Amino acid sequence: GELVYQSYCSACHGVNGEGGLGSALRGSTIVMNNQRRHAEIVVKGVPGTAMQGFRGMFEASDLASVMTYSANAFGNESGVLVQPADLKSLIED
């Protein structure tokens, strides 16, 4: 997850999850506590913002990996472990 994050997410969300163009992920209640909403954002994006969806760009395993990474990096320490199967309905939607 760290490699995907650093390659595709850090430009907007910051190298250390501090935010910038995009929202801060460090301390984010969505990233740490609302996995359904976090998944919707990562998979489908947020209309009207710079946050694009990554469905079709990555395999479910990569998306789950980067979600797990961001929920447990930057001091978040949520203990969340996202599985590819958790994203199946959103990806096929």
Side-chain angles (χ1 to χ4, degrees), residues 20-92:
L21 177 62
S23 300
L25 302 183
R26 180 178 42 215
S28 168
T29 57
I30 291 174
V31 170
M32 292 188 296
N33 303 315
N34 189 342
Q35 293 313 299
R36 177 69 183 175
R37 182 65 185 133
H38 187 195
E40 289 171 350
I41 292 169
V42 171
V43 173
K44 296 181 178 181
V46 179
T49 72
M51 180 62 197
Q52 70 177 49
F54 290 95
R55 174 179 36 200
M57 188 170 174
F58 292 105
E59 299 291 325
S61 59
D62 292 321
L63 296 174
S65 174
V66 76
M67 287 178 63
T68 297
Y69 174 74
S70 62
N72 293 287
F74 322 123
N76 288 343
E77 301 180 26
S78 70
V80 167
L81 177 59
V82 180
Q83 297 295 325
D86 299 336
L87 307 174
K88 185 177 180 182
S89 66
L90 288 171
I91 291 171
E92 295 174 352

